[in-house]
Amino acid sequence: MLPNRLDGLKIVLDEAHGAAARVSPEAFARAGAEIVTIGADPDGLNINDGCGSTHLDLLKAAVVEHGADLGIAHDGDADRCLAVDHTGAEVDGDQILAVLGLAMRERSALRHDTVVATVMSNLGFKLAMEREGVSVVQTAVGDRYVLEEMKDKGFALGGEQSGHVIILDHATTGDGTLTGLMLAARVAQTGRTLRDLASVMERLPQVLINVPDVDKSRVATSAELATAVAEAERELGETGRVLLRPSGTEPLVRVMVEAADIEQARSVASRLADSVKSALG
């Protein structure tokens, strides 16, 4: 049950010409929102075609054009939800988790005061939750791993930066319509803009470099690479993070660096990419 109806909110919904094209607009309308719908004419071929959560430009423009309070974007199979605030700025999965986590804690629904996220979640999310007294448990990338951790430890909320959000009291999978409704309900309940609510966390600059044609099986055993990572972590200190992740499907290693400054993140990521080529090439 929604903690608040959505009366008074104007919301643009981008359905990605997919599975939510009929259900989501009806759900938001029944909850009281004034809705503008785009990407809601599936023909079997146009799913995710330049729209939805993987292509936010249309939604950003529509929110500004219609003077909406916020926009919600699903993907084709409707398990994801990303959002856009009233200025047209993206609100990603980490920010949605932060907003919903604090809302759930306020009503004593955030079990163990913990949110489950993956190792790809922005460091800014973890820092913000720690500041608010909420613990973050991180898993491998993939909503299946998030769900396993939630069910194993009895947590109520988890998800990914990409917009897969699991609210276990209501669903056992990501449900983009449910996530969007809960996010909009928080806006209605508080009377605050989505931009204001999402500002609880600051996304740190994140640089991702894919290093191809290397022996990804040696990432965990290379002494040369371990030394390079340790040096990078010392340079970044408490306000940065390094992640080396072998691709699950390709012969490449993903180098991800976060830092308070984008130029530092680029510099460290570039050096680490060179180290990966040297150590694993």
Side-chain angles (χ1 to χ4, degrees), residues 14-21 38-44 46-49 51-52 76:
D14 186 343
E15 307 300 345
H17 298 304
I38 62 176
D41 297 300
D43 61 13
N46 59 355
I47 189 169
N48 292 323
D49 187 9
C51 58

Side-chain angles (χ1 to χ4, degrees), residues 24 29 41 60 63 77 88 103 114 119 133 140 160 171 203 209-210 213 218 243 259-260 268:
S24 183
D41 297 300
K60 292 177 179 180
V63 166
D77 61 359
T114 298
V119 293
E160 297 186 281
R203 283 182 290 190
I209 299 177
N210 291 327
D213 303 320
R218 294 196 292 119
L243 178 66
V268 172

